[in-house]
Amino acid sequence: MNIKWRVFSRKSETYTNCVLMRRSSYCSLEMRVWRLLSLGTWFDASSLRSGITLGSLGIQSRGPQSIPVSHSVVIRTREFDSTSNEGEGADLAHIPGHSHKAMDLNSQYKTDLLRHKDILQCPWNALAMLFFYKWHVLKEPPPGFEDPTWANQPLFHIDPALHDDELEQFCGDIYSEFVEGASHGIQRFKYTTESALDAITDALTSSKLLRNAVSTAQNMYVTQRSLQNGHCADVQLANAGFRSDNRATTYNVPRQKHTVPQHIEEQIFPFVDSMPSQDELADQGGSPEQWDIIVRFCNLLKMLRTVLLQDMAIL
């Protein structure tokens, strides 16, 4: 089954994300994250469903080299085999320079997510709201960092997947596609926006280097390997809302400059402030690699609690 592309306008995305945010059920918040990660990474349903775990998430102090951004959320998906049912090819015949030759994808995918200029369409905000609901509203147990299995917990509920039938009347088949993807890894469409599609089409037309990088792939992902490292900064800018009239604009998110009192920040995700030290983890048999995963994830949550408070002050 070849995966087709569904292209969304800014207007439709604003409406959908507004519905999902205002509904504020666990399912609607997961669906919002799922949609925004789909739009920002182009990962398949199988990668979103089981490839993204708590341990795969982190923050890095610098985003793509070609974009003046101080931080980006980093996702390192699990390895998967593109020849299996979990890596079926995308139909990109309408994009110049793309063919459908087999490619070995047995490697870990890494992608950056920039903070979106629009709060409703921002994956950082969506992640922050989901984690807040998980640990502060439902009061689920936070990760126990002494036990390395915490890092393998999937970001999304997959067995069973969450349902919220109230969403069907507002979101229609998009809700059905989310449930199919989260439950079974079935994917009918990859999602992108009009501005991102324009950006990748322009880049593939003008850049032989980028065409060569993606022309042998069965699928396309917004990863550092294929679309970043200076090859296609316009796609990342479009995914962050900084592209209009077919031209990229300078990346600038004014709300990130707002100062949040530390004593308020520390009330959100307080467990990150008492994570074990590297020596304590080593005494319990933890490896340096496990320590790095803990630090990346806790630094992400510290950033997301600031993001949540900055965004909520505006909303």
Side-chain angles (χ1 to χ4, degrees), residues 38-89:
S38 297
L39 287 165
T41 65
W42 299 342
F43 284 151
D44 287 327
S46 57
S47 298
L48 290 169
R49 180 177 185 268
S50 56
I52 301 180
T53 63
L54 297 186
S56 72
L57 302 171
I59 193 83
Q60 66 181 22
S61 60
R62 186 180 65 180
Q65 296 179 4
S66 54
I67 302 176
V69 57
S70 59
H71 292 86
S72 61
V73 171
V74 176
I75 301 175
R76 296 169 174 84
T77 65
R78 288 176 175 172
E79 298 178 357
F80 66 96
D81 183 357
S82 67
T83 61
S84 72
N85 291 332
E86 292 188 344
E88 296 187 88

Side-chain angles (χ1 to χ4, degrees), residues 222-266:
V222 185
T223 64
Q224 291 182 338
R225 176 182 305 173
S226 60
L227 299 183
Q228 294 178 342
N229 297 328
H231 296 336
C232 196
D234 282 2
V235 173
Q236 284 295 78
L237 288 171
N239 284 333
F242 293 92
R243 184 181 171 93
S244 60
D245 299 327
N246 295 326
R247 298 186 64 182
T249 56
T250 303
Y251 183 86
N252 180 36
V253 181
R255 67 184 184 277
Q256 67 186 2
K257 299 176 183 178
H258 295 171
T259 301
V260 177
Q262 182 177 353
H263 71 279
I264 298 179
E265 283 187 325
E266 291 176 348

Side-chain angles (χ1 to χ4, degrees), residues 1-4 42-46 48 177 180-181 185-191:
M1 178 181 70
N2 286 331
I3 298 173
K4 307 294 183 180
W42 299 342
F43 284 151
D44 287 327
S46 57
L48 290 169
E177 289 167 16
E180 286 182 338
I186 296 173
Q187 180 168 349
R188 300 179 186 275
F189 297 95
K190 272 194 171 186
Y191 296 159

